[in-house]
Amino acid sequence: METDKSVTKSSQCKTCKSTIDSNECEYCNSRNIFFSNLNYLRIKGDLERQIIQKVKFGNSPHLSNFFRIGLRKLLPELKKVTYTAIIEIPSSKNTIRKRPIPVCHTVIKFLKEKLGIRILNPFKKKSKELQSGKNFRERFIHAQTAFEIKKIYQNSLSGNYLLVDDVFTTGATINELAKLLLINGADRVDVLVLVKGKN
Ligand SMILES: [Zn+2]
């Protein structure tokens, strides 16, 4: 669970890859970070936003191949760690107009093949009934994340995991999911996102 908060000369946080002015990372120091390393393929700009929208809600699933460009370059870095599995996150937390296409799918399939590891779906969404049965205070306490670990994976994880998601903005959900993996036995959780918000 140790997080390396030291920094590189280029003043980028080793853990969350934020650009930093001093030698302390404001993001990592302001909360408990449960992942060890955040990898990203692109910094979020108009192009990235449009591509994600088109893959998710449009009829252009092939556009997700766009993210493969950065992936090849990142492979040697990912191969430095021995991962037990790639962790997939259940579909979008946002309001869904129509069923979205998982943007990460192409990237996950590519990684599965190149790293020779399996894909795991250990999370499930907490049911709405459970949430609505709680009062405001209880919701505030319990609803840190909309996800929980499926029974069969509870306390039965081991080794290192690579958590893959489409966008990292505040990282709140991803951080909570990393925490859940650690609580249930993971030794280390790294994150790979397609796009990371500017900071
Ligand atoms: Zn940081």
Side-chain angles (χ1 to χ4, degrees):
M1 307 245 312
E2 265 296 296
T3 302
D4 188 356
K5 285 176 184 165
S6 61
V7 294
T8 57
K9 278 175 218 133
S10 58
S11 64
Q12 190 186 53
C13 174
K14 275 184 182 171
T15 303
C16 75
K17 309 295 189 301
S18 294
T19 312
I20 45 178
D21 305 325
S22 62
N23 55 356
E24 294 253 303
C25 176
E26 207 179 292
Y27 182 87
C28 289
N29 283 340
S30 66
R31 67 210 78 198
N32 290 314
I33 299 294
F34 297 103
F35 53 84
S36 299
N37 192 8
L38 172 71
N39 304 287
Y40 63 93
L41 301 177
R42 309 277 305 187
I43 288 286
K44 195 174 186 178
D46 287 341
L47 177 65
E48 288 74 17
R49 196 175 298 119
Q50 279 169 28
I51 286 176
I52 284 184
Q53 283 303 103
K54 279 185 180 163
V55 175
K56 263 190 185 171
F57 304 110
N59 287 312
S60 315
H62 60 278
L63 269 178
S64 61
N65 283 313
F66 169 79
F67 294 105
R68 281 187 167 198
I69 301 165
L71 204 48
R72 281 192 183 277
K73 254 174 35 188
L74 198 65
L75 261 184
E77 195 60 32
L78 295 174
K79 282 182 172 169
K80 285 180 188 168
V81 181
T82 306
Y83 293 110
T84 305
I86 300 162
I87 305 279
E88 222 170 12
I89 301 173
S91 67
S92 178
K93 310 120 233 177
N94 308 320
T95 324
I96 300 162
R97 282 165 291 158
K98 53 178 177 172
R99 185 175 285 273
I101 293 163
V103 190
C104 298
H105 201 68
T106 307
V107 164
I108 287 176
K109 261 170 55 187
F110 178 90
L111 284 175
K112 174 187 157 63
E113 193 185 303
K114 297 291 174 191
L115 298 176
I117 53 176
R118 66 210 166 101
I119 300 167
L120 221 63
N121 288 277
F123 301 113
K124 64 170 183 181
K125 287 196 162 182
K126 285 180 185 168
S127 79
K128 281 188 179 120
E129 293 88 74
L130 271 170
Q131 283 297 327
S132 59
K134 293 185 173 97
N135 65 32
F136 181 80
R137 187 171 179 275
E138 286 169 333
R139 282 193 204 193
F140 186 78
I141 293 165
H142 295 287
Q144 293 227 38
T145 169
F147 301 99
E148 59 190 342
I149 291 260
K150 291 174 187 168
K151 266 218 164 67
I152 51 161
Y153 295 110
Q154 281 174 13
N155 299 312
S156 65
L157 299 174
S158 65
N160 309 318
Y161 293 92
L162 183 63
L163 186 59
V164 181
D165 202 0
D166 48 7
V167 183
F168 185 99
T169 312
T170 67
T173 302
I174 288 171
N175 199 36
E176 281 302 319
L177 294 178
K179 180 177 160 188
L180 273 177
L181 295 173
L182 291 174
I183 287 171
N184 288 281
D187 295 319
R188 167 185 171 139
V189 179
D190 287 343
V191 177
L192 171 67
V193 292
L194 307 187
V195 297
K196 179 186 176 302
K198 279 181 208 147
N199 63 354

